[in-house]
Amino acid sequence: PGKKAKNRKGILRSRGLIDEVNRLRADARVGPLGWSLDSSPDFLSVRRYEKSLAAAEKELAKRIKKSKGGKYEPVVFPVMPKAIGETVLWSRTKKASDAVHGWLRQPVYRDSLLAPGRDLLSVPSDVGGYMLGFVYPAEQAERGEPLVWPRHGQSNVDGSMPVIDLDERARAAVLKAGIAEDAVVGMPISIHFAREIDRKLLARVECRLFERNRPLEGILVYYDQPITDGGAVTKGMVVCVPTEPLKPGKVIEARWEAPLELLGKDQQIAPSAFTVR
């Protein structure tokens, strides 16, 4: 848009978000994405929710202040639209880099952001919380080597994540293993086949974690069917959740193994040794 266009600020801000996504994909050795502007009903529903949420938060702060530590009338908060996490990723962070970094921490969103078969994302032209729209589904891979995250040689990888912040499937697996809901575990690492995988084959994917030569315990979570929590359609992914936070500055090696039926002839899983932030 021209320098005097009303939506120039919003478009440039959204373009900055796409730049951050493409930096993320470049770091993972995946090609860049194109982008388009969107004003879909899903985007509009998120904006309405965003405004209603801000109004509710403001009213709550007002009532708390007025009560002077006493009782106050509760505020009814708006219901989050189903679009968030399903067709739209949304963040209230101040910086585009923080928004993308936050989404990357969630394996189900990571799978969508790093999909090698994705070509296009949509963004809004107005100013507000950051939004990414998945206009078209990612094209499934037919065969070949899967994508691992973190990739081999990657640095500044987050080392920990609260159990409460895990998606529903990962959280259930961690709780079933006896880890408390208020505990902190290691950053979930993942392998992405970018296609639907038969659950019997996917269940044969394994991961062993090491800090130098010291084995680390990890909990495997299999995404053989689309999950509904958070909405993101994720299939053909396996996540390994370290049972304890990864230590800063340490090099962690993830050794993924998969049956030959998943890899194809002369294919293998790339090694992954990364450094914790």
Side-chain angles (χ1 to χ4, degrees):
K3 292 184 178 180
K4 295 184 179 180
K6 292 182 179 180
N7 61 355
R8 178 180 174 83
K9 182 178 179 181
I11 292 176
L12 291 178
R13 187 172 184 270
S14 291
R15 171 57 195 267
L17 183 64
I18 295 296
D19 290 341
E20 290 298 332
V21 172
N22 280 333
R23 288 190 186 96
L24 173 74
R25 288 175 64 90
D27 203 29
R29 302 293 191 264
V30 188
L33 298 174
W35 59 282
S36 64
L37 295 177
D38 195 2
S39 56
S40 67
D42 284 353
F43 269 31
L44 295 176
S45 71
V46 175
R47 280 289 183 252
R48 287 194 297 269
Y49 169 73
E50 185 178 78
K51 293 177 181 178
S52 298
L53 179 61
E57 291 172 339
K58 184 177 180 179
E59 179 62 24
L60 178 60
K62 180 180 177 181
R63 293 184 186 185
I64 292 175
K65 182 178 180 180
K66 189 175 180 180
S67 70
K68 297 180 180 180
K71 294 183 178 180
Y72 57 88
E73 190 72 20
V75 174
V76 178
F77 279 75
V79 178
M80 182 180 291
K82 292 182 179 180
I84 294 179
E86 184 171 348
T87 58
V88 180
L89 296 186
W90 174 64
S91 174
R92 301 173 80 187
T93 59
K94 300 294 184 183
K95 296 180 180 179
S97 57
D98 292 339
V100 174
H101 180 75
W103 295 328
L104 178 69
R105 288 172 57 85
Q106 293 287 349
V108 289
Y109 298 159
R110 184 188 305 159
D111 190 65
S112 294
L113 290 170
L114 298 181
R118 187 174 301 288
D119 297 319
L120 188 70
L121 288 173
S122 61
V123 289
S125 60
D126 59 349
V127 176
Y130 286 106
M131 289 195 291
L132 276 180
F134 297 96
V135 183
Y136 303 107
E139 184 177 347
Q140 290 196 121
E142 294 183 7
R143 65 183 68 85
E145 184 178 330
L147 173 75
V148 295
W149 188 92
R151 66 163 173 78
H152 186 61
Q154 195 160 339
S155 59
N156 293 323
V157 176
D158 286 351
S160 63
M161 189 162 187
V163 171
I164 195 66
D165 288 344
L166 295 170
D167 67 69
E168 184 179 20
R169 187 173 296 189
R171 186 166 61 248
V174 167
L175 295 178
K176 185 178 180 180
I179 297 176
E181 190 170 15
D182 60 351
V184 176
V185 292
M187 175 56 55
I189 66 172
S190 51
I191 186 168
H192 309 257
F193 288 90
R195 59 187 182 273
E196 189 169 358
I197 301 295
D198 181 87
R199 63 174 56 188
K200 292 182 180 179
L201 281 178
L202 200 66
R204 291 166 59 190
V205 175
E206 299 289 341
C207 181
R208 292 184 294 162
L209 296 176
F210 296 87
E211 181 190 297
R212 293 196 175 213
N213 293 323
R214 184 174 73 89
L216 302 177
E217 186 177 353
I219 300 168
L220 288 171
V221 188
Y222 298 91
Y223 295 77
D224 56 329
Q225 293 180 341
I227 71 165
T228 54
D229 174 59
V233 178
T234 301
K235 49 192 176 182
M237 177 177 74
V238 180
V239 167
C240 182
V241 184
T243 57
E244 296 182 357
L246 304 176
K247 297 179 181 178
K250 296 295 184 180
V251 175
I252 306 298
E253 182 181 0
R255 300 177 187 173
W256 290 97
E257 297 178 0
L260 292 178
E261 298 95 315
L262 278 182
L263 299 180
K265 187 178 180 180
D266 298 327
Q267 296 291 333
Q268 61 182 0
I269 299 175
S272 176
F274 57 91
T275 305
V276 180
R277 184 191 306 271

